[in-house]
Amino acid sequence: MGFTSIKTKSPDGIKSAITSAITQKNYSLRSHFFGGLNVIRTVYSMNIRKYSKSDYNQLLEIYSMSKLDELKYESTNFELLSLDKDEIRLAQIYESDIYVYGTKYAVGFCAYSGSEIRALFVHPNYRGKGIGVSLLEFMLSNIIGTATLYVAASNHPAIKLYQKYGFKIISEFKTTYNRKAVLANKMEQLPVYG
């Protein structure tokens, strides 16, 4: 579980990183160009797998334990609308590519459709272990084009994480959660040029 970053200017260093990633059976390899350095990130897949119907109850539990955390910085108190009762949100997730983190028991999940990140949740008992970062990097390694996402404008910890991955706020708008107003941001991952 985890990731490796390799910084190199030499083609041999890049070749070595790719060979290492393949040998270790890493799931994906993502290359970025930062100021003359090629940065190769390998995301380990041991614990990230495609969602299956047997994960449904765990997905509901993760969502129920995590959803209100993204709204905890709001001045309004929100009541949880469970995912199985939120028909619109459930439909958005089910029409997406869904992946879970965990070999037998899912402790986190993510969903994306095209270039839009639609969900990223980690059970509170498993936070701080790099699971959210692994799921985010996994999605970014599979998205073609400019990645986009939506986040509560008050959720500064999430915004800060996304900004580390090159996301910028491009718009702010009003929306609702369980019939209560929320200010949200649309973020896009801007291309990085050397």
Side-chain angles (χ1 to χ4, degrees):
M1 189 286 289
F3 64 86
T4 302
S5 292
I6 301 166
K7 296 179 182 178
T8 180
K9 285 187 177 184
S10 75
D12 288 336
I14 295 169
K15 182 180 176 186
S16 173
I18 293 170
T19 303
S20 173
I22 292 168
T23 303
Q24 295 174 24
K25 297 180 182 172
N26 293 333
Y27 187 83
S28 61
L29 192 64
R30 188 157 193 204
S31 177
H32 302 278
F33 187 75
F34 292 103
L37 291 177
N38 283 306
V39 178
I40 306 290
R41 292 207 107 155
T42 53
V43 181
Y44 297 93
S45 71
M46 287 176 97
N47 296 317
I48 297 175
R49 61 181 170 76
K50 189 89 171 142
Y51 167 82
S52 71
K53 288 182 182 179
S54 64
D55 296 316
Y56 180 73
N57 288 332
Q58 293 161 10
L59 187 132
L60 293 180
E61 179 185 346
I62 294 164
Y63 185 88
S64 292
M65 298 291 291
S66 304
K67 179 61 183 174
L68 292 182
D69 286 348
E70 65 183 20
L71 299 168
K72 71 182 179 183
Y73 303 102
E74 293 286 321
S75 57
T76 304
N77 288 325
F78 290 87
E79 187 176 316
L80 177 69
L81 177 59
S82 63
L83 187 56
D84 57 335
K85 303 256 189 298
D86 190 341
E87 294 175 8
I88 294 171
R89 184 81 169 126
L90 186 61
Q92 287 176 335
I93 289 174
Y94 268 134
E95 69 186 22
S96 304
D97 293 306
I98 308 169
Y99 289 86
V100 298
Y101 190 99
T103 49
K104 292 181 182 176
Y105 187 80
V107 297
F109 76 92
C110 64
Y112 65 94
S113 178
S115 63
E116 181 184 334
I117 294 173
R118 293 187 167 176
L120 176 57
F121 292 98
V122 177
H123 192 287
N125 294 344
Y126 294 89
R127 291 187 189 150
K129 301 176 187 306
I131 295 169
V133 167
S134 292
L135 288 168
L136 177 61
E137 289 183 353
F138 173 82
M139 287 188 289
L140 293 175
S141 70
N142 287 290
I143 289 174
I144 297 171
T146 302
T148 61
L149 59 84
Y150 300 90
V151 60
S154 64
N155 191 347
H156 300 292
I159 291 169
K160 196 173 188 177
L161 171 66
Y162 298 137
Q163 287 172 333
K164 286 182 184 178
Y165 284 87
F167 283 86
K168 302 287 182 211
I169 297 169
I170 61 163
S171 66
E172 191 171 81
F173 61 96
K174 291 182 181 178
T175 187
T176 60
Y177 174 74
N178 205 3
R179 296 185 303 274
K180 289 188 180 181
V182 179
L183 193 60
N185 291 331
K186 178 178 182 180
M187 298 184 78
E188 280 187 358
Q189 187 186 39
L190 302 179
V192 178
Y193 300 102

